[in-house]
Amino acid sequence: MASRVAQGLCAYGLIVRMWMRSTLAYRTSFVMMTFGDFVATALDFVAIMLMFSQIEALGGFTLPEVAFLYGTSSVSLGLADLLFGSMERLGRRVRDGTLDTLLLRPAPLLAQVAADRFALRRLGRITQGLLVLGWSVSRLDVDWTVGRMLMVPLMTVCGAAIFAAVFTAGAAFQFWAQDAAEVQNSFTYGGNTMLQYPPTVFARDLVRGVTFVIPLAFVNWLPALRLLGRPDPLGLPGWVDFMGPAVAALMCAGAGLAWRGGVRAYRSTGS
Amino acid sequence: MSGAAAAERLIEVDGVEKVFSVRRKAGRLRRVKDEVRAVDGISFRVPRGEMVGYIGPNGAGKSTTIKMLTGILVPSGGRLRVAGIDPARERTRLARRIGVVFGQRTTLWWDLPLKDSYELVRRMYRVPDTAYRANLERCVELLDLAPLLDVPVRQLSLGQRMRGDIAAALLHDPEVLYLDEPTIGLDVISKAKVREFLLEVNAERGTTVLLTTHDLTDIEQLCRRVMVIDHGRLVYDGGLAGLRAAGDGERTLVVDLERELPPIEGVPGARTVKVEGPRQWLAFPAARSAAPLVAAVAERYPLVDLSVREPDIEDVIAKLYAGGDSGPDSPGGA
């Protein structure tokens, strides 16, 4: 098991390097895309700031508080997107049969698919998220104890793991339905858009759904509410706020099983 | 693992099947599940160092077999071993010991120089430095890759890319090389180069080769043993000569006479199928010896030159595919 993980990481690194060099074969295009991505995500937050020029609070949350939600969610998704985001292309590889060539290499398929078409430009989202997060932390009215300070990186890492699990499970589903990328996108990119706003602005059933069905609420809502000293709209017991790591681990395990099932169900193409 | 006997039989296939279930619409909402038996219980063994041709019409199950042998597809039934390894269970372990070339898709990196793809193979397969250098040097020399190493793969021609792909599949010293239509779409010179290289590798390193192709010249020049698959079943497994007999083929005696004459008649066991000026073609059963025939012709006709042509293997195979019902037409000289 341990050697398999090491083998996977090694293959991941090798393939990532190949893709980075492939990208640099078209240098101008790379620079333009990176810049474009950064601007697009930056405008995203500008929209929220514009909103706050008209209102004092959104669902009872101030601008720095919303920025905190925005920053944590963006960094989490950004990390998952950088490391696993290309998995949504799996369906295409299944359809055109090029997945076969990956299956012939002496490396775990998951690592190869995750590294497939690795795009460094996705650092743009992480950078922008970190900037917003840094700004919000400097403005928040929170008593920063060591525990609370450690909670921020911990929750972003757990959040990234949760998103990564969604990417992986979504990709696994594409072994059966090759056009399912949009379904997983609605949970990852769509989920991210939702998590950037306070849970108080959404219908209660929706909040319940992202807590118990697809537990995205553990990415930032529940731990952030605790950090900001806000009551949980669902009135769950306090310890639930700290379940992020456990939820992330469970989701990764589930995604891993789904992936295994998908690979076994793979039927390749004709010829 | 179990000694020399296991090493002798590098590939073992016992009653292997692959069944796909295909959903088909039947009416507005009803869906019917159909079973397609792509591979329907085939068995064979390939000893180390052999070069085997694996042929059959489109959709016969060739590629499905190769995909099961590499571990890409999980068999629905039967037992399969390559170098003692169960491919579906230990795909990545097997990957180090086999090389695969799919004629229709490349494993090379499109936007990077050819040598970068080789470098990745070196690192991913953890090929020892000395072995890697020796293998690369040999491939570069035999396949004329030297001028291509620094060229991005997207700029290579199909033939150049195929040579590049074959080299990539051999850098880690595989024991088995699977080639799925390695000469598809190549020109005559590239084909010849590829074939020459495969013979060289097989002779030099004893690499076992399993080759699917539609180009029967590949088989004639490379393989002493042929397996023919049709509708998922092996319909022939044996030597090339036996294949000709199995298809009850005819050989052709081509004679050049001194001058233009009416078709040769009265030679027992042979009939004239074609006349072109002083040259005539006589068909006779493949199993019979040509010597008495030649004697009979020479006795009564002014013979200048002659040659014997083996039955056209394409015709033989076409007959096998047709399920053994031989057509009335004889193989004419094409």
Side-chain angles (χ1 to χ4, degrees), chain B residues 131-171:
Chain B
Y132 174 76
R133 235 172 292 135
N135 288 344
L136 183 61
E137 220 165 82
R138 197 84 182 99
C139 287
V140 165
E141 181 198 326
L142 288 173
L143 288 167
D144 278 342
L145 295 175
L148 310 178
L149 285 176
D150 292 304
V151 181
V153 172
R154 67 181 128 86
Q155 290 173 16
L156 298 182
S157 74
L158 184 62
Q160 292 170 331
R161 204 167 73 219
M162 179 58 65
R163 273 145 54 200
D165 256 312
I166 293 176
L170 285 167
L171 292 176

mmCIF file of all heavy atoms in Angstrom, chain B residues 131-171:
data_model
loop_
_atom_site.group_PDB
_atom_site.id
_atom_site.type_symbol
_atom_site.label_atom_id
_atom_site.label_comp_id
_atom_site.label_asym_id
_atom_site.label_seq_id
_atom_site.Cartn_x
_atom_site.Cartn_y
_atom_site.Cartn_z
ATOM 1 N N ALA B 131 21.478 0.102 -19.078
ATOM 2 C CA ALA B 131 20.537 -0.609 -19.941
ATOM 3 C C ALA B 131 19.794 0.395 -20.822
ATOM 4 O O ALA B 131 19.627 0.185 -22.027
ATOM 5 C CB ALA B 131 19.539 -1.405 -19.100
ATOM 6 N N TYR B 132 19.376 1.506 -20.203
ATOM 7 C CA TYR B 132 18.634 2.512 -20.962
ATOM 8 C C TYR B 132 19.469 3.043 -22.107
ATOM 9 O O TYR B 132 19.011 3.113 -23.250
ATOM 10 C CB TYR B 132 18.221 3.649 -20.029
ATOM 11 C CG TYR B 132 17.580 4.816 -20.739
ATOM 12 C CD1 TYR B 132 16.267 4.744 -21.185
ATOM 13 C CD2 TYR B 132 18.298 5.988 -20.968
ATOM 14 C CE1 TYR B 132 15.680 5.809 -21.835
ATOM 15 C CE2 TYR B 132 17.717 7.060 -21.624
ATOM 16 C CZ TYR B 132 16.412 6.967 -22.059
ATOM 17 O OH TYR B 132 15.835 8.019 -22.704
ATOM 18 N N ARG B 133 20.704 3.390 -21.797
ATOM 19 C CA ARG B 133 21.549 3.980 -22.839
ATOM 20 C C ARG B 133 21.778 2.992 -23.980
ATOM 21 O O ARG B 133 21.703 3.334 -25.153
ATOM 22 C CB ARG B 133 22.880 4.454 -22.245
ATOM 23 C CG ARG B 133 23.105 5.943 -22.574
ATOM 24 C CD ARG B 133 24.297 6.511 -21.846
ATOM 25 N NE ARG B 133 24.082 6.596 -20.408
ATOM 26 C CZ ARG B 133 24.971 6.214 -19.494
ATOM 27 N NH1 ARG B 133 26.117 5.701 -19.863
ATOM 28 N NH2 ARG B 133 24.702 6.346 -18.213
ATOM 29 N N ALA B 134 22.041 1.735 -23.609
ATOM 30 C CA ALA B 134 22.284 0.718 -24.641
ATOM 31 C C ALA B 134 21.038 0.505 -25.504
ATOM 32 O O ALA B 134 21.122 0.446 -26.732
ATOM 33 C CB ALA B 134 22.701 -0.594 -23.982
ATOM 34 N N ASN B 135 19.876 0.408 -24.844
ATOM 35 C CA ASN B 135 18.635 0.164 -25.585
ATOM 36 C C ASN B 135 18.316 1.327 -26.515
ATOM 37 O O ASN B 135 17.915 1.133 -27.661
ATOM 38 C CB ASN B 135 17.465 -0.027 -24.618
ATOM 39 C CG ASN B 135 17.559 -1.350 -23.894
ATOM 40 O OD1 ASN B 135 18.298 -2.233 -24.308
ATOM 41 N ND2 ASN B 135 16.819 -1.476 -22.807
ATOM 42 N N LEU B 136 18.461 2.534 -25.979
ATOM 43 C CA LEU B 136 18.141 3.707 -26.787
ATOM 44 C C LEU B 136 19.062 3.771 -28.004
ATOM 45 O O LEU B 136 18.617 3.986 -29.132
ATOM 46 C CB LEU B 136 18.258 4.981 -25.942
ATOM 47 C CG LEU B 136 17.869 6.264 -26.666
ATOM 48 C CD1 LEU B 136 16.415 6.198 -27.103
ATOM 49 C CD2 LEU B 136 18.086 7.486 -25.780
ATOM 50 N N GLU B 137 20.352 3.522 -27.753
ATOM 51 C CA GLU B 137 21.323 3.596 -28.837
ATOM 52 C C GLU B 137 20.972 2.610 -29.954
ATOM 53 O O GLU B 137 20.987 2.956 -31.129
ATOM 54 C CB GLU B 137 22.699 3.240 -28.274
ATOM 55 C CG GLU B 137 23.826 4.092 -28.807
ATOM 56 C CD GLU B 137 25.046 3.919 -27.935
ATOM 57 O OE1 GLU B 137 25.770 2.922 -28.150
ATOM 58 O OE2 GLU B 137 25.258 4.740 -27.010
ATOM 59 N N ARG B 138 20.620 1.387 -29.539
ATOM 60 C CA ARG B 138 20.286 0.336 -30.498
ATOM 61 C C ARG B 138 19.042 0.733 -31.303
ATOM 62 O O ARG B 138 19.007 0.586 -32.517
ATOM 63 C CB ARG B 138 20.026 -0.963 -29.724
ATOM 64 C CG ARG B 138 20.078 -2.175 -30.580
ATOM 65 C CD ARG B 138 21.513 -2.650 -30.760
ATOM 66 N NE ARG B 138 21.536 -3.809 -31.643
ATOM 67 C CZ ARG B 138 21.837 -3.736 -32.943
ATOM 68 N NH1 ARG B 138 22.165 -2.594 -33.476
ATOM 69 N NH2 ARG B 138 21.839 -4.819 -33.688
ATOM 70 N N CYS B 139 18.007 1.224 -30.607
ATOM 71 C CA CYS B 139 16.767 1.612 -31.291
ATOM 72 C C CYS B 139 17.025 2.774 -32.244
ATOM 73 O O CYS B 139 16.537 2.788 -33.374
ATOM 74 C CB CYS B 139 15.700 2.032 -30.281
ATOM 75 S SG CYS B 139 14.993 0.660 -29.382
ATOM 76 N N VAL B 140 17.799 3.745 -31.784
ATOM 77 C CA VAL B 140 18.078 4.919 -32.608
ATOM 78 C C VAL B 140 18.790 4.491 -33.881
ATOM 79 O O VAL B 140 18.475 4.934 -34.978
ATOM 80 C CB VAL B 140 18.923 5.944 -31.812
ATOM 81 C CG1 VAL B 140 19.534 6.974 -32.745
ATOM 82 C CG2 VAL B 140 18.060 6.628 -30.769
ATOM 83 N N GLU B 141 19.716 3.547 -33.713
ATOM 84 C CA GLU B 141 20.482 3.091 -34.859
ATOM 85 C C GLU B 141 19.609 2.306 -35.843
ATOM 86 O O GLU B 141 19.581 2.596 -37.031
ATOM 87 C CB GLU B 141 21.633 2.213 -34.341
ATOM 88 C CG GLU B 141 22.547 1.682 -35.413
ATOM 89 C CD GLU B 141 23.359 0.496 -34.892
ATOM 90 O OE1 GLU B 141 23.702 0.499 -33.689
ATOM 91 O OE2 GLU B 141 23.613 -0.428 -35.686
ATOM 92 N N LEU B 142 18.850 1.346 -35.330
ATOM 93 C CA LEU B 142 18.090 0.464 -36.217
ATOM 94 C C LEU B 142 16.872 1.141 -36.816
ATOM 95 O O LEU B 142 16.417 0.790 -37.893
ATOM 96 C CB LEU B 142 17.654 -0.788 -35.457
ATOM 97 C CG LEU B 142 18.764 -1.780 -35.146
ATOM 98 C CD1 LEU B 142 18.244 -2.882 -34.237
ATOM 99 C CD2 LEU B 142 19.302 -2.379 -36.434
ATOM 100 N N LEU B 143 16.317 2.103 -36.099
ATOM 101 C CA LEU B 143 15.083 2.732 -36.601
ATOM 102 C C LEU B 143 15.343 4.130 -37.167
ATOM 103 O O LEU B 143 14.403 4.865 -37.459
ATOM 104 C CB LEU B 143 14.045 2.814 -35.476
ATOM 105 C CG LEU B 143 13.411 1.487 -35.054
ATOM 106 C CD1 LEU B 143 12.652 1.639 -33.756
ATOM 107 C CD2 LEU B 143 12.498 0.953 -36.138
ATOM 108 N N ASP B 144 16.606 4.488 -37.292
ATOM 109 C CA ASP B 144 16.955 5.806 -37.869
ATOM 110 C C ASP B 144 16.325 6.962 -37.114
ATOM 111 O O ASP B 144 15.727 7.857 -37.709
ATOM 112 C CB ASP B 144 16.464 5.891 -39.330
ATOM 113 C CG ASP B 144 17.441 5.214 -40.254
ATOM 114 O OD1 ASP B 144 18.590 5.013 -39.829
ATOM 115 O OD2 ASP B 144 17.048 4.889 -41.391
ATOM 116 N N LEU B 145 16.433 6.931 -35.802
ATOM 117 C CA LEU B 145 15.741 7.964 -35.035
ATOM 118 C C LEU B 145 16.612 9.184 -34.743
ATOM 119 O O LEU B 145 16.114 10.206 -34.280
ATOM 120 C CB LEU B 145 15.243 7.377 -33.706
ATOM 121 C CG LEU B 145 14.182 6.285 -33.833
ATOM 122 C CD1 LEU B 145 13.874 5.700 -32.464
ATOM 123 C CD2 LEU B 145 12.917 6.829 -34.456
ATOM 124 N N ALA B 146 17.916 9.073 -35.005
ATOM 125 C CA ALA B 146 18.832 10.143 -34.595
ATOM 126 C C ALA B 146 18.366 11.540 -34.997
ATOM 127 O O ALA B 146 18.358 12.446 -34.169
ATOM 128 C CB ALA B 146 20.230 9.859 -35.120
ATOM 129 N N PRO B 147 17.937 11.723 -36.264
ATOM 130 C CA PRO B 147 17.537 13.100 -36.625
ATOM 131 C C PRO B 147 16.196 13.514 -36.020
ATOM 132 O O PRO B 147 15.823 14.680 -36.117
ATOM 133 C CB PRO B 147 17.446 13.050 -38.161
ATOM 134 C CG PRO B 147 17.302 11.624 -38.513
ATOM 135 C CD PRO B 147 17.873 10.810 -37.397
ATOM 136 N N LEU B 148 15.481 12.591 -35.386
ATOM 137 C CA LEU B 148 14.135 12.903 -34.905
ATOM 138 C C LEU B 148 14.088 13.218 -33.418
ATOM 139 O O LEU B 148 13.089 13.717 -32.906
ATOM 140 C CB LEU B 148 13.191 11.730 -35.189
ATOM 141 C CG LEU B 148 13.191 11.184 -36.613
ATOM 142 C CD1 LEU B 148 12.253 10.001 -36.721
ATOM 143 C CD2 LEU B 148 12.785 12.276 -37.598
ATOM 144 N N LEU B 149 15.167 12.899 -32.696
ATOM 145 C CA LEU B 149 15.116 12.959 -31.235
ATOM 146 C C LEU B 149 14.754 14.337 -30.696
ATOM 147 O O LEU B 149 14.120 14.451 -29.654
ATOM 148 C CB LEU B 149 16.464 12.508 -30.649
ATOM 149 C CG LEU B 149 16.716 11.003 -30.701
ATOM 150 C CD1 LEU B 149 18.114 10.682 -30.200
ATOM 151 C CD2 LEU B 149 15.674 10.248 -29.904
ATOM 152 N N ASP B 150 15.160 15.384 -31.398
ATOM 153 C CA ASP B 150 14.899 16.732 -30.890
ATOM 154 C C ASP B 150 13.678 17.378 -31.524
ATOM 155 O O ASP B 150 13.400 18.551 -31.283
ATOM 156 C CB ASP B 150 16.127 17.615 -31.120
ATOM 157 C CG ASP B 150 17.279 17.169 -30.243
ATOM 158 O OD1 ASP B 150 17.076 17.115 -29.015
ATOM 159 O OD2 ASP B 150 18.357 16.846 -30.774
ATOM 160 N N VAL B 151 12.948 16.611 -32.330
ATOM 161 C CA VAL B 151 11.781 17.172 -33.022
ATOM 162 C C VAL B 151 10.528 16.924 -32.179
ATOM 163 O O VAL B 151 10.335 15.819 -31.681
ATOM 164 C CB VAL B 151 11.613 16.490 -34.401
ATOM 165 C CG1 VAL B 151 10.418 17.071 -35.145
ATOM 166 C CG2 VAL B 151 12.885 16.624 -35.207
ATOM 167 N N PRO B 152 9.686 17.959 -32.002
ATOM 168 C CA PRO B 152 8.422 17.718 -31.295
ATOM 169 C C PRO B 152 7.592 16.673 -32.031
ATOM 170 O O PRO B 152 7.543 16.673 -33.260
ATOM 171 C CB PRO B 152 7.717 19.082 -31.330
ATOM 172 C CG PRO B 152 8.797 20.071 -31.562
ATOM 173 C CD PRO B 152 9.858 19.380 -32.352
ATOM 174 N N VAL B 153 6.985 15.792 -31.280
ATOM 175 C CA VAL B 153 6.305 14.642 -31.877
ATOM 176 C C VAL B 153 5.225 15.068 -32.875
ATOM 177 O O VAL B 153 5.017 14.421 -33.892
ATOM 178 C CB VAL B 153 5.701 13.765 -30.759
ATOM 179 C CG1 VAL B 153 4.831 12.672 -31.324
ATOM 180 C CG2 VAL B 153 6.832 13.168 -29.929
ATOM 181 N N ARG B 154 4.568 16.204 -32.591
ATOM 182 C CA ARG B 154 3.494 16.620 -33.500
ATOM 183 C C ARG B 154 4.010 16.902 -34.904
ATOM 184 O O ARG B 154 3.243 16.907 -35.860
ATOM 185 C CB ARG B 154 2.761 17.845 -32.946
ATOM 186 C CG ARG B 154 3.577 19.105 -32.892
ATOM 187 C CD ARG B 154 2.772 20.261 -32.310
ATOM 188 N NE ARG B 154 3.493 20.911 -31.224
ATOM 189 C CZ ARG B 154 4.394 21.880 -31.387
ATOM 190 N NH1 ARG B 154 4.674 22.323 -32.575
ATOM 191 N NH2 ARG B 154 5.006 22.406 -30.355
ATOM 192 N N GLN B 155 5.326 17.134 -35.046
ATOM 193 C CA GLN B 155 5.873 17.423 -36.375
ATOM 194 C C GLN B 155 6.360 16.173 -37.107
ATOM 195 O O GLN B 155 6.823 16.252 -38.232
ATOM 196 C CB GLN B 155 7.041 18.410 -36.252
ATOM 197 C CG GLN B 155 6.573 19.794 -35.859
ATOM 198 C CD GLN B 155 7.729 20.716 -35.568
ATOM 199 O OE1 GLN B 155 8.868 20.436 -35.922
ATOM 200 N NE2 GLN B 155 7.438 21.831 -34.914
ATOM 201 N N LEU B 156 6.248 15.013 -36.463
ATOM 202 C CA LEU B 156 6.720 13.783 -37.115
ATOM 203 C C LEU B 156 5.662 13.255 -38.077
ATOM 204 O O LEU B 156 4.463 13.456 -37.874
ATOM 205 C CB LEU B 156 7.010 12.712 -36.061
ATOM 206 C CG LEU B 156 8.096 13.020 -35.031
ATOM 207 C CD1 LEU B 156 8.280 11.837 -34.098
ATOM 208 C CD2 LEU B 156 9.408 13.362 -35.707
ATOM 209 N N SER B 157 6.118 12.553 -39.107
ATOM 210 C CA SER B 157 5.178 11.890 -40.018
ATOM 211 C C SER B 157 4.675 10.627 -39.329
ATOM 212 O O SER B 157 5.220 10.196 -38.322
ATOM 213 C CB SER B 157 5.874 11.534 -41.315
ATOM 214 O OG SER B 157 6.743 10.438 -41.105
ATOM 215 N N LEU B 158 3.632 10.051 -39.909
ATOM 216 C CA LEU B 158 3.053 8.855 -39.300
ATOM 217 C C LEU B 158 4.089 7.743 -39.152
ATOM 218 O O LEU B 158 4.190 7.100 -38.112
ATOM 219 C CB LEU B 158 1.875 8.379 -40.157
ATOM 220 C CG LEU B 158 1.093 7.191 -39.611
ATOM 221 C CD1 LEU B 158 0.468 7.535 -38.275
ATOM 222 C CD2 LEU B 158 0.027 6.763 -40.595
ATOM 223 N N GLY B 159 4.883 7.535 -40.207
ATOM 224 C CA GLY B 159 5.883 6.480 -40.176
ATOM 225 C C GLY B 159 6.961 6.743 -39.131
ATOM 226 O O GLY B 159 7.384 5.847 -38.416
ATOM 227 N N GLN B 160 7.369 8.012 -39.037
ATOM 228 C CA GLN B 160 8.387 8.371 -38.045
ATOM 229 C C GLN B 160 7.847 8.179 -36.637
ATOM 230 O O GLN B 160 8.522 7.681 -35.749
ATOM 231 C CB GLN B 160 8.798 9.835 -38.243
ATOM 232 C CG GLN B 160 9.541 10.074 -39.539
ATOM 233 C CD GLN B 160 9.717 11.556 -39.819
ATOM 234 O OE1 GLN B 160 8.913 12.393 -39.412
ATOM 235 N NE2 GLN B 160 10.785 11.896 -40.522
ATOM 236 N N ARG B 161 6.584 8.553 -36.461
ATOM 237 C CA ARG B 161 5.989 8.444 -35.129
ATOM 238 C C ARG B 161 5.856 6.978 -34.728
ATOM 239 O O ARG B 161 6.095 6.620 -33.571
ATOM 240 C CB ARG B 161 4.617 9.121 -35.141
ATOM 241 C CG ARG B 161 4.204 9.569 -33.782
ATOM 242 C CD ARG B 161 3.014 10.492 -33.865
ATOM 243 N NE ARG B 161 1.815 9.772 -34.192
ATOM 244 C CZ ARG B 161 0.883 10.218 -35.010
ATOM 245 N NH1 ARG B 161 1.024 11.377 -35.616
ATOM 246 N NH2 ARG B 161 -0.187 9.521 -35.242
ATOM 247 N N MET B 162 5.477 6.153 -35.697
ATOM 248 C CA MET B 162 5.345 4.734 -35.389
ATOM 249 C C MET B 162 6.690 4.153 -34.968
ATOM 250 O O MET B 162 6.778 3.409 -33.996
ATOM 251 C CB MET B 162 4.812 3.994 -36.619
ATOM 252 C CG MET B 162 4.658 2.518 -36.423
ATOM 253 S SD MET B 162 3.559 2.131 -35.066
ATOM 254 C CE MET B 162 2.040 2.791 -35.725
ATOM 255 N N ARG B 163 7.755 4.523 -35.665
ATOM 256 C CA ARG B 163 9.082 4.052 -35.271
ATOM 257 C C ARG B 163 9.407 4.547 -33.871
ATOM 258 O O ARG B 163 9.944 3.807 -33.039
ATOM 259 C CB ARG B 163 10.123 4.541 -36.278
ATOM 260 C CG ARG B 163 10.280 3.595 -37.450
ATOM 261 C CD ARG B 163 10.561 4.302 -38.752
ATOM 262 N NE ARG B 163 11.707 5.197 -38.701
ATOM 263 C CZ ARG B 163 11.919 6.192 -39.556
ATOM 264 N NH1 ARG B 163 11.044 6.408 -40.537
ATOM 265 N NH2 ARG B 163 12.957 6.962 -39.447
ATOM 266 N N GLY B 164 9.048 5.797 -33.606
ATOM 267 C CA GLY B 164 9.272 6.361 -32.277
ATOM 268 C C GLY B 164 8.506 5.602 -31.210
ATOM 269 O O GLY B 164 9.020 5.333 -30.125
ATOM 270 N N ASP B 165 7.274 5.226 -31.525
ATOM 271 C CA ASP B 165 6.444 4.492 -30.576
ATOM 272 C C ASP B 165 7.012 3.112 -30.292
ATOM 273 O O ASP B 165 6.999 2.644 -29.148
ATOM 274 C CB ASP B 165 5.023 4.343 -31.147
ATOM 275 C CG ASP B 165 4.044 5.305 -30.491
ATOM 276 O OD1 ASP B 165 4.046 5.376 -29.254
ATOM 277 O OD2 ASP B 165 3.305 5.983 -31.215
ATOM 278 N N ILE B 166 7.495 2.458 -31.344
ATOM 279 C CA ILE B 166 8.036 1.111 -31.154
ATOM 280 C C ILE B 166 9.271 1.167 -30.266
ATOM 281 O O ILE B 166 9.428 0.352 -29.342
ATOM 282 C CB ILE B 166 8.355 0.457 -32.523
ATOM 283 C CG1 ILE B 166 7.037 0.204 -33.268
ATOM 284 C CG2 ILE B 166 9.120 -0.841 -32.337
ATOM 285 C CD1 ILE B 166 7.207 -0.334 -34.662
ATOM 286 N N ALA B 167 10.115 2.170 -30.493
ATOM 287 C CA ALA B 167 11.293 2.314 -29.637
ATOM 288 C C ALA B 167 10.869 2.549 -28.187
ATOM 289 O O ALA B 167 11.419 1.949 -27.261
ATOM 290 C CB ALA B 167 12.155 3.478 -30.136
ATOM 291 N N ALA B 168 9.852 3.390 -27.987
ATOM 292 C CA ALA B 168 9.402 3.701 -26.623
ATOM 293 C C ALA B 168 8.933 2.447 -25.895
ATOM 294 O O ALA B 168 9.085 2.325 -24.683
ATOM 295 C CB ALA B 168 8.278 4.736 -26.666
ATOM 296 N N ALA B 169 8.372 1.503 -26.652
ATOM 297 C CA ALA B 169 7.843 0.295 -26.034
ATOM 298 C C ALA B 169 8.941 -0.703 -25.683
ATOM 299 O O ALA B 169 8.690 -1.689 -25.009
ATOM 300 C CB ALA B 169 6.825 -0.361 -26.964
ATOM 301 N N LEU B 170 10.173 -0.450 -26.145
ATOM 302 C CA LEU B 170 11.240 -1.434 -25.944
ATOM 303 C C LEU B 170 12.347 -0.980 -25.000
ATOM 304 O O LEU B 170 13.233 -1.748 -24.664
ATOM 305 C CB LEU B 170 11.854 -1.799 -27.304
ATOM 306 C CG LEU B 170 10.987 -2.721 -28.153
ATOM 307 C CD1 LEU B 170 11.513 -2.780 -29.572
ATOM 308 C CD2 LEU B 170 10.943 -4.119 -27.547
ATOM 309 N N LEU B 171 12.268 0.269 -24.556
ATOM 310 C CA LEU B 171 13.373 0.823 -23.761
ATOM 311 C C LEU B 171 13.535 0.143 -22.412
ATOM 312 O O LEU B 171 14.605 0.166 -21.823
ATOM 313 C CB LEU B 171 13.165 2.329 -23.559
ATOM 314 C CG LEU B 171 13.291 3.163 -24.837
ATOM 315 C CD1 LEU B 171 12.962 4.612 -24.546
ATOM 316 C CD2 LEU B 171 14.692 3.037 -25.403
#
